[in-house]
Amino acid sequence: MSVYINDSSGKDDISVSGTKEEPFKSGAFALFVNQTGSEPKLLVYKKDEDTDGGYVEISASALKKARKGAEGLKKKAAKQEDQDKKKKEQDAKDVAKRLELMNITIKEDLSLPKARSMKIGRCYSAVDERVKVCGWIHRLRLSKSVGFVVLRDGTGYLQAVLSGDLAKAYQTGTLTLESTVKLYGTVRKLPDGKTAPGGVELDVDYYEIVGLAPAGDDAFTNRVQEGADPSLLLDQRHLMLRGETLSAVMKVRAALLKAFRRVFDEEGLTEVTPPCMVQTQVEGGSTLFKLDYYGEEAFLTQSSQLYLETCLSSLGDVYCIQESFRAEKSHTRRHLSEYTHIEGELAFLDFEDLLTHIERLITSTVQYVLEDSVAGPLIKQLNPDFKAPQMPFMRLEYKDAITWLNEHGIKNEENEEFKFGDDIAEAAERKMTDTIGVPILLTKFPVAIKSFYMKRCADDPRVTESVDVLMPTVGEITGGSMRIESTEELMAGFTREGIDASAYYWFVDQRRYGTCPHGGYGIGTERILAWLCDRFTVRDCSLYPRFSGRCKP
């Protein structure tokens, strides 16, 4: 029998017949597929210069090479056959094992005491009690005989152990990070030398899957990867919030706002909720977000201060905690386009009273946060070196700050020595604050660089009764001032700033119908959080940060 070989047009495939019309590509493969009976005669296609070529019998040396190649293919085929056989046997075992595991029924033992449903945070004190906890799988480690799960529900973390059939069951092998489950079991105190959240462990006797999170390419760890580009992580903010650090900051934030309200209550201030859609400016027109309000021009508020002032005569001292908006195209680590503004306004006080009130507000609030059972340990974890500020804060007038900066060789934004009237930019302010290393009440800023409503100092009309509270590592967290009491002086302020006073008739009326000495301040929640939690940027301190170029998700 003759078999044809053409190394240019042939094909080494078992479906090929080996005829002249359907030649093999190699002699080795031709011999490999024709192992039964006598060895076939191999005809190899040869092309010469005078003809189109034709088939000739294979040379002795080429035949020898082909036989060796065929032997190699035979061994390879045998090895593959053996591997296929073993794989088939293993697949059969795996199927049998899977069927065995799938036949393991996870059932609640109704003879056990009824499980009491509770949040994880309460489990720590429920030692030896059978409980039911629900949450998300924060960490997961499975083996053939035991499974370790760290469950999260927002109130804490709980280490749970699955053993016996619970660890072996097929459905246990399908568990993934961020899947939601209900765990039933007995809370056990950990033996000495072992550690886990709350010092306890849940000995699971039954569990239910509520929702399985994806595995593979869509697994949670592929969506939020440590060290990824910050903008990509911000796109996944809804998932990043599940991390231990961001969730800790948000818990401290909740405790901080609660503590502020507690101190305001102790100080006798009443909470009010001014509008966020306004038609007047507070901090300069260049940072206003404009909107079409039923055909009229309106803005998102920069501050609720003006509205707070209108409440003094009816409600007394007041405060609000709500969003403010600044359209600054700034990408510094302490600027946001939307932030939570804590603002207070107080009547019948002088500048020194205002400074003392601000000191008391900050020190008492921080103390309450540190005493909080949840937030206190989290601050210690996030910011181990944090030291609570003590009264009194250092007082430093603007003119003395200018002298300090020049004496220490710190230049202004034009890289020149500071002179009276210069705005102290963030970098210089931060360097001064971090060098001094204590909270500072920076006071008496020049009229030209402060807002139209700020009261001038009686002993130096060049400056205002104004204050910025500066904290080491974060800079300014509070700005405040005494307000102008006189109608005439307020109108002059409008004129100086080029503001049409007619839209502020309601604000002017506060001076016309019974004026009084009054002052107030605003505190950026995210800035004070960055200081408390040692965060590099205020973006870490906002649930969904908004800044220039970022308004999603």
mmCIF file of all heavy atoms in Angstrom, residues 114-150:
data_model
loop_
_atom_site.group_PDB
_atom_site.id
_atom_site.type_symbol
_atom_site.label_atom_id
_atom_site.label_comp_id
_atom_site.label_asym_id
_atom_site.label_seq_id
_atom_site.Cartn_x
_atom_site.Cartn_y
_atom_site.Cartn_z
ATOM 1 N N LYS A 114 -33.576 27.517 71.303
ATOM 2 C CA LYS A 114 -33.928 28.457 70.228
ATOM 3 C C LYS A 114 -32.878 29.568 70.170
ATOM 4 O O LYS A 114 -32.495 30.142 71.183
ATOM 5 C CB LYS A 114 -35.310 29.060 70.490
ATOM 6 C CG LYS A 114 -35.785 29.999 69.381
ATOM 7 C CD LYS A 114 -37.192 30.486 69.651
ATOM 8 C CE LYS A 114 -37.637 31.546 68.652
ATOM 9 N NZ LYS A 114 -37.588 31.099 67.269
ATOM 10 N N ALA A 115 -32.387 29.833 68.962
ATOM 11 C CA ALA A 115 -31.364 30.860 68.789
ATOM 12 C C ALA A 115 -31.976 32.247 68.915
ATOM 13 O O ALA A 115 -33.018 32.532 68.329
ATOM 14 C CB ALA A 115 -30.699 30.708 67.420
ATOM 15 N N ARG A 116 -31.278 33.125 69.675
ATOM 16 C CA ARG A 116 -31.762 34.494 69.842
ATOM 17 C C ARG A 116 -31.115 35.368 68.770
ATOM 18 O O ARG A 116 -29.893 35.401 68.634
ATOM 19 C CB ARG A 116 -31.409 35.017 71.231
ATOM 20 C CG ARG A 116 -32.047 36.366 71.554
ATOM 21 C CD ARG A 116 -32.217 36.547 73.057
ATOM 22 N NE ARG A 116 -30.944 36.668 73.745
ATOM 23 C CZ ARG A 116 -30.418 37.851 74.114
ATOM 24 N NH1 ARG A 116 -31.040 38.979 73.846
ATOM 25 N NH2 ARG A 116 -29.275 37.886 74.761
ATOM 26 N N SER A 117 -31.939 36.057 67.997
ATOM 27 C CA SER A 117 -31.435 36.907 66.922
ATOM 28 C C SER A 117 -30.809 38.162 67.507
ATOM 29 O O SER A 117 -31.430 38.846 68.329
ATOM 30 C CB SER A 117 -32.580 37.283 65.976
ATOM 31 O OG SER A 117 -32.098 38.082 64.924
ATOM 32 N N MET A 118 -29.583 38.466 67.080
ATOM 33 C CA MET A 118 -28.927 39.677 67.586
ATOM 34 C C MET A 118 -27.861 40.167 66.622
ATOM 35 O O MET A 118 -27.393 39.422 65.759
ATOM 36 C CB MET A 118 -28.328 39.452 68.976
ATOM 37 C CG MET A 118 -27.224 38.417 69.070
ATOM 38 S SD MET A 118 -26.473 38.367 70.729
ATOM 39 C CE MET A 118 -27.852 37.888 71.764
ATOM 40 N N LYS A 119 -27.510 41.439 66.773
ATOM 41 C CA LYS A 119 -26.429 42.029 65.993
ATOM 42 C C LYS A 119 -25.088 41.553 66.545
ATOM 43 O O LYS A 119 -24.967 41.206 67.719
ATOM 44 C CB LYS A 119 -26.503 43.561 66.053
ATOM 45 C CG LYS A 119 -27.745 44.154 65.408
ATOM 46 C CD LYS A 119 -27.733 43.994 63.906
ATOM 47 C CE LYS A 119 -28.904 44.727 63.255
ATOM 48 N NZ LYS A 119 -28.913 44.561 61.792
ATOM 49 N N ILE A 120 -24.080 41.588 65.690
ATOM 50 C CA ILE A 120 -22.766 41.093 66.092
ATOM 51 C C ILE A 120 -22.225 41.846 67.299
ATOM 52 O O ILE A 120 -21.643 41.248 68.217
ATOM 53 C CB ILE A 120 -21.782 41.166 64.904
ATOM 54 C CG1 ILE A 120 -22.129 40.084 63.867
ATOM 55 C CG2 ILE A 120 -20.335 41.018 65.366
ATOM 56 C CD1 ILE A 120 -21.331 40.157 62.579
ATOM 57 N N GLY A 121 -22.421 43.150 67.330
ATOM 58 C CA GLY A 121 -21.898 43.947 68.434
ATOM 59 C C GLY A 121 -22.384 43.490 69.798
ATOM 60 O O GLY A 121 -21.687 43.664 70.809
ATOM 61 N N ARG A 122 -23.561 42.879 69.855
ATOM 62 C CA ARG A 122 -24.103 42.398 71.130
ATOM 63 C C ARG A 122 -23.659 40.979 71.441
ATOM 64 O O ARG A 122 -23.788 40.516 72.577
ATOM 65 C CB ARG A 122 -25.632 42.473 71.095
ATOM 66 C CG ARG A 122 -26.193 43.893 71.037
ATOM 67 C CD ARG A 122 -27.707 43.875 71.000
ATOM 68 N NE ARG A 122 -28.265 43.186 72.163
ATOM 69 C CZ ARG A 122 -29.506 42.677 72.209
ATOM 70 N NH1 ARG A 122 -30.292 42.778 71.146
ATOM 71 N NH2 ARG A 122 -29.933 42.067 73.293
ATOM 72 N N CYS A 123 -23.143 40.275 70.433
ATOM 73 C CA CYS A 123 -22.717 38.882 70.638
ATOM 74 C C CYS A 123 -21.543 38.762 71.588
ATOM 75 O O CYS A 123 -21.361 37.730 72.242
ATOM 76 C CB CYS A 123 -22.331 38.243 69.302
ATOM 77 S SG CYS A 123 -23.735 37.835 68.254
ATOM 78 N N TYR A 124 -20.718 39.808 71.643
ATOM 79 C CA TYR A 124 -19.510 39.723 72.455
ATOM 80 C C TYR A 124 -19.826 39.458 73.930
ATOM 81 O O TYR A 124 -18.994 38.901 74.655
ATOM 82 C CB TYR A 124 -18.687 41.005 72.331
ATOM 83 C CG TYR A 124 -18.311 41.375 70.907
ATOM 84 C CD1 TYR A 124 -18.135 42.704 70.528
ATOM 85 C CD2 TYR A 124 -18.125 40.405 69.920
ATOM 86 C CE1 TYR A 124 -17.788 43.059 69.228
ATOM 87 C CE2 TYR A 124 -17.785 40.739 68.620
ATOM 88 C CZ TYR A 124 -17.617 42.078 68.283
ATOM 89 O OH TYR A 124 -17.278 42.424 66.996
ATOM 90 N N SER A 125 -21.007 39.867 74.360
ATOM 91 C CA SER A 125 -21.379 39.667 75.773
ATOM 92 C C SER A 125 -22.387 38.530 75.934
ATOM 93 O O SER A 125 -23.000 38.391 76.983
ATOM 94 C CB SER A 125 -21.962 40.963 76.353
ATOM 95 O OG SER A 125 -23.081 41.392 75.603
ATOM 96 N N ALA A 126 -22.591 37.719 74.878
ATOM 97 C CA ALA A 126 -23.565 36.617 74.931
ATOM 98 C C ALA A 126 -22.852 35.258 74.984
ATOM 99 O O ALA A 126 -23.267 34.300 74.326
ATOM 100 C CB ALA A 126 -24.493 36.691 73.721
ATOM 101 N N VAL A 127 -21.798 35.181 75.780
ATOM 102 C CA VAL A 127 -21.011 33.949 75.876
ATOM 103 C C VAL A 127 -21.879 32.792 76.372
ATOM 104 O O VAL A 127 -22.693 32.947 77.290
ATOM 105 C CB VAL A 127 -19.798 34.160 76.812
ATOM 106 C CG1 VAL A 127 -19.040 32.855 77.008
ATOM 107 C CG2 VAL A 127 -18.871 35.228 76.228
ATOM 108 N N ASP A 128 -21.713 31.638 75.698
ATOM 109 C CA ASP A 128 -22.431 30.395 76.006
ATOM 110 C C ASP A 128 -23.919 30.455 75.639
ATOM 111 O O ASP A 128 -24.687 29.566 76.019
ATOM 112 C CB ASP A 128 -22.283 30.008 77.487
ATOM 113 C CG ASP A 128 -20.847 29.669 77.841
ATOM 114 O OD1 ASP A 128 -20.124 29.175 76.952
ATOM 115 O OD2 ASP A 128 -20.441 29.892 78.998
ATOM 116 N N GLU A 129 -24.303 31.442 74.891
ATOM 117 C CA GLU A 129 -25.698 31.558 74.454
ATOM 118 C C GLU A 129 -25.799 31.198 72.974
ATOM 119 O O GLU A 129 -24.896 31.497 72.195
ATOM 120 C CB GLU A 129 -26.196 32.988 74.678
ATOM 121 C CG GLU A 129 -27.666 33.176 74.404
ATOM 122 C CD GLU A 129 -28.166 34.569 74.787
ATOM 123 O OE1 GLU A 129 -27.438 35.285 75.499
ATOM 124 O OE2 GLU A 129 -29.277 34.925 74.362
ATOM 125 N N ARG A 130 -26.884 30.523 72.599
ATOM 126 C CA ARG A 130 -27.101 30.190 71.180
ATOM 127 C C ARG A 130 -27.771 31.384 70.510
ATOM 128 O O ARG A 130 -28.812 31.872 70.975
ATOM 129 C CB ARG A 130 -27.967 28.940 71.020
ATOM 130 C CG ARG A 130 -28.068 28.471 69.558
ATOM 131 C CD ARG A 130 -28.666 27.076 69.445
ATOM 132 N NE ARG A 130 -28.621 26.613 68.064
ATOM 133 C CZ ARG A 130 -29.679 26.663 67.233
ATOM 134 N NH1 ARG A 130 -30.846 27.104 67.660
ATOM 135 N NH2 ARG A 130 -29.554 26.235 65.990
ATOM 136 N N VAL A 131 -27.166 31.853 69.417
ATOM 137 C CA VAL A 131 -27.630 33.079 68.760
ATOM 138 C C VAL A 131 -27.772 32.853 67.260
ATOM 139 O O VAL A 131 -27.249 31.882 66.700
ATOM 140 C CB VAL A 131 -26.644 34.253 69.013
ATOM 141 C CG1 VAL A 131 -26.488 34.522 70.502
ATOM 142 C CG2 VAL A 131 -25.286 33.983 68.356
ATOM 143 N N LYS A 132 -28.472 33.784 66.623
ATOM 144 C CA LYS A 132 -28.538 33.838 65.160
ATOM 145 C C LYS A 132 -28.021 35.206 64.736
ATOM 146 O O LYS A 132 -28.514 36.233 65.211
ATOM 147 C CB LYS A 132 -29.968 33.659 64.657
ATOM 148 C CG LYS A 132 -30.069 33.759 63.123
ATOM 149 C CD LYS A 132 -31.511 33.652 62.627
ATOM 150 C CE LYS A 132 -32.237 34.974 62.735
ATOM 151 N NZ LYS A 132 -33.557 34.952 62.075
ATOM 152 N N VAL A 133 -27.011 35.228 63.873
ATOM 153 C CA VAL A 133 -26.469 36.490 63.368
ATOM 154 C C VAL A 133 -26.505 36.469 61.844
ATOM 155 O O VAL A 133 -26.301 35.434 61.218
ATOM 156 C CB VAL A 133 -25.023 36.735 63.862
ATOM 157 C CG1 VAL A 133 -25.001 37.057 65.339
ATOM 158 C CG2 VAL A 133 -24.127 35.552 63.571
ATOM 159 N N CYS A 134 -26.758 37.625 61.274
ATOM 160 C CA CYS A 134 -26.840 37.756 59.813
ATOM 161 C C CYS A 134 -25.812 38.791 59.364
ATOM 162 O O CYS A 134 -25.583 39.789 60.053
ATOM 163 C CB CYS A 134 -28.231 38.211 59.388
ATOM 164 S SG CYS A 134 -29.566 37.199 60.028
ATOM 165 N N GLY A 135 -25.216 38.555 58.211
ATOM 166 C CA GLY A 135 -24.258 39.540 57.719
ATOM 167 C C GLY A 135 -23.563 39.098 56.451
ATOM 168 O O GLY A 135 -23.995 38.174 55.756
ATOM 169 N N TRP A 136 -22.462 39.796 56.180
ATOM 170 C CA TRP A 136 -21.680 39.580 54.966
ATOM 171 C C TRP A 136 -20.378 38.865 55.321
ATOM 172 O O TRP A 136 -19.750 39.158 56.351
ATOM 173 C CB TRP A 136 -21.347 40.921 54.308
ATOM 174 C CG TRP A 136 -22.529 41.598 53.678
ATOM 175 C CD1 TRP A 136 -22.852 41.622 52.352
ATOM 176 C CD2 TRP A 136 -23.543 42.361 54.360
ATOM 177 N NE1 TRP A 136 -24.010 42.349 52.157
ATOM 178 C CE2 TRP A 136 -24.458 42.810 53.370
ATOM 179 C CE3 TRP A 136 -23.778 42.699 55.697
ATOM 180 C CZ2 TRP A 136 -25.573 43.577 53.676
ATOM 181 C CZ3 TRP A 136 -24.895 43.463 56.009
ATOM 182 C CH2 TRP A 136 -25.780 43.895 55.003
ATOM 183 N N ILE A 137 -19.941 37.953 54.461
ATOM 184 C CA ILE A 137 -18.686 37.246 54.702
ATOM 185 C C ILE A 137 -17.525 38.178 54.389
ATOM 186 O O ILE A 137 -17.279 38.540 53.238
ATOM 187 C CB ILE A 137 -18.593 35.957 53.849
ATOM 188 C CG1 ILE A 137 -19.684 34.968 54.269
ATOM 189 C CG2 ILE A 137 -17.212 35.319 54.002
ATOM 190 C CD1 ILE A 137 -19.700 33.686 53.460
ATOM 191 N N HIS A 138 -16.822 38.574 55.445
ATOM 192 C CA HIS A 138 -15.723 39.533 55.319
ATOM 193 C C HIS A 138 -14.405 38.830 55.010
ATOM 194 O O HIS A 138 -13.585 39.324 54.246
ATOM 195 C CB HIS A 138 -15.621 40.328 56.626
ATOM 196 C CG HIS A 138 -14.685 41.485 56.568
ATOM 197 N ND1 HIS A 138 -14.929 42.606 55.799
ATOM 198 C CD2 HIS A 138 -13.484 41.702 57.181
ATOM 199 C CE1 HIS A 138 -13.932 43.460 55.948
ATOM 200 N NE2 HIS A 138 -13.041 42.937 56.777
ATOM 201 N N ARG A 139 -14.210 37.672 55.655
ATOM 202 C CA ARG A 139 -13.049 36.820 55.362
ATOM 203 C C ARG A 139 -13.514 35.369 55.338
ATOM 204 O O ARG A 139 -14.488 35.025 56.002
ATOM 205 C CB ARG A 139 -11.949 36.998 56.419
ATOM 206 C CG ARG A 139 -11.271 38.362 56.381
ATOM 207 C CD ARG A 139 -9.965 38.349 57.168
ATOM 208 N NE ARG A 139 -9.377 39.676 57.211
ATOM 209 C CZ ARG A 139 -9.623 40.569 58.169
ATOM 210 N NH1 ARG A 139 -10.424 40.250 59.160
ATOM 211 N NH2 ARG A 139 -9.058 41.756 58.158
ATOM 212 N N LEU A 140 -12.778 34.543 54.585
ATOM 213 C CA LEU A 140 -13.211 33.155 54.406
ATOM 214 C C LEU A 140 -12.001 32.258 54.194
ATOM 215 O O LEU A 140 -11.128 32.558 53.384
ATOM 216 C CB LEU A 140 -14.143 33.073 53.196
ATOM 217 C CG LEU A 140 -14.664 31.693 52.796
ATOM 218 C CD1 LEU A 140 -15.570 31.121 53.876
ATOM 219 C CD2 LEU A 140 -15.424 31.780 51.469
ATOM 220 N N ARG A 141 -11.953 31.153 54.964
ATOM 221 C CA ARG A 141 -10.895 30.150 54.777
ATOM 222 C C ARG A 141 -11.518 28.780 54.967
ATOM 223 O O ARG A 141 -12.043 28.466 56.041
ATOM 224 C CB ARG A 141 -9.763 30.384 55.778
ATOM 225 C CG ARG A 141 -8.591 29.432 55.632
ATOM 226 C CD ARG A 141 -7.329 30.003 56.283
ATOM 227 N NE ARG A 141 -7.534 30.382 57.668
ATOM 228 C CZ ARG A 141 -7.355 29.574 58.715
ATOM 229 N NH1 ARG A 141 -6.983 28.306 58.502
ATOM 230 N NH2 ARG A 141 -7.536 30.008 59.937
ATOM 231 N N LEU A 142 -11.481 27.962 53.897
ATOM 232 C CA LEU A 142 -12.134 26.652 53.921
ATOM 233 C C LEU A 142 -11.118 25.539 53.724
ATOM 234 O O LEU A 142 -10.178 25.668 52.937
ATOM 235 C CB LEU A 142 -13.191 26.561 52.808
ATOM 236 C CG LEU A 142 -14.338 27.578 52.844
ATOM 237 C CD1 LEU A 142 -15.210 27.424 51.604
ATOM 238 C CD2 LEU A 142 -15.172 27.414 54.109
ATOM 239 N N SER A 143 -11.312 24.437 54.442
ATOM 240 C CA SER A 143 -10.536 23.212 54.210
ATOM 241 C C SER A 143 -11.510 22.042 54.239
ATOM 242 O O SER A 143 -12.721 22.229 54.387
ATOM 243 C CB SER A 143 -9.454 23.050 55.279
ATOM 244 O OG SER A 143 -10.040 22.760 56.540
ATOM 245 N N LYS A 144 -10.997 20.794 54.099
ATOM 246 C CA LYS A 144 -11.884 19.634 54.045
ATOM 247 C C LYS A 144 -12.608 19.379 55.354
ATOM 248 O O LYS A 144 -13.705 18.827 55.369
ATOM 249 C CB LYS A 144 -11.072 18.391 53.657
ATOM 250 C CG LYS A 144 -10.536 18.434 52.231
ATOM 251 C CD LYS A 144 -9.726 17.194 51.915
ATOM 252 C CE LYS A 144 -9.169 17.237 50.497
ATOM 253 N NZ LYS A 144 -8.355 16.045 50.182
ATOM 254 N N SER A 145 -11.970 19.795 56.455
ATOM 255 C CA SER A 145 -12.546 19.429 57.751
ATOM 256 C C SER A 145 -13.075 20.603 58.564
ATOM 257 O O SER A 145 -13.843 20.416 59.508
ATOM 258 C CB SER A 145 -11.500 18.699 58.589
ATOM 259 O OG SER A 145 -10.347 19.513 58.756
ATOM 260 N N VAL A 146 -12.673 21.825 58.207
ATOM 261 C CA VAL A 146 -13.101 22.983 59.000
ATOM 262 C C VAL A 146 -13.145 24.220 58.112
ATOM 263 O O VAL A 146 -12.401 24.324 57.130
ATOM 264 C CB VAL A 146 -12.148 23.197 60.200
ATOM 265 C CG1 VAL A 146 -10.773 23.621 59.721
ATOM 266 C CG2 VAL A 146 -12.710 24.220 61.184
ATOM 267 N N GLY A 147 -14.049 25.132 58.448
ATOM 268 C CA GLY A 147 -14.163 26.394 57.722
ATOM 269 C C GLY A 147 -14.174 27.554 58.702
ATOM 270 O O GLY A 147 -14.824 27.486 59.751
ATOM 271 N N PHE A 148 -13.430 28.619 58.371
ATOM 272 C CA PHE A 148 -13.399 29.815 59.212
ATOM 273 C C PHE A 148 -14.029 30.969 58.436
ATOM 274 O O PHE A 148 -13.652 31.247 57.304
ATOM 275 C CB PHE A 148 -11.970 30.181 59.604
ATOM 276 C CG PHE A 148 -11.334 29.201 60.560
ATOM 277 C CD1 PHE A 148 -10.532 28.171 60.080
ATOM 278 C CD2 PHE A 148 -11.561 29.293 61.922
ATOM 279 C CE1 PHE A 148 -9.951 27.268 60.940
ATOM 280 C CE2 PHE A 148 -10.982 28.388 62.803
ATOM 281 C CZ PHE A 148 -10.187 27.370 62.313
ATOM 282 N N VAL A 149 -14.987 31.628 59.061
ATOM 283 C CA VAL A 149 -15.690 32.757 58.455
ATOM 284 C C VAL A 149 -15.600 33.931 59.414
ATOM 285 O O VAL A 149 -15.833 33.772 60.623
ATOM 286 C CB VAL A 149 -17.179 32.421 58.194
ATOM 287 C CG1 VAL A 149 -17.941 33.675 57.756
ATOM 288 C CG2 VAL A 149 -17.309 31.323 57.155
ATOM 289 N N VAL A 150 -15.246 35.103 58.889
ATOM 290 C CA VAL A 150 -15.383 36.336 59.662
ATOM 291 C C VAL A 150 -16.579 37.071 59.078
ATOM 292 O O VAL A 150 -16.582 37.439 57.899
ATOM 293 C CB VAL A 150 -14.112 37.209 59.602
ATOM 294 C CG1 VAL A 150 -14.361 38.546 60.303
ATOM 295 C CG2 VAL A 150 -12.953 36.484 60.255
#
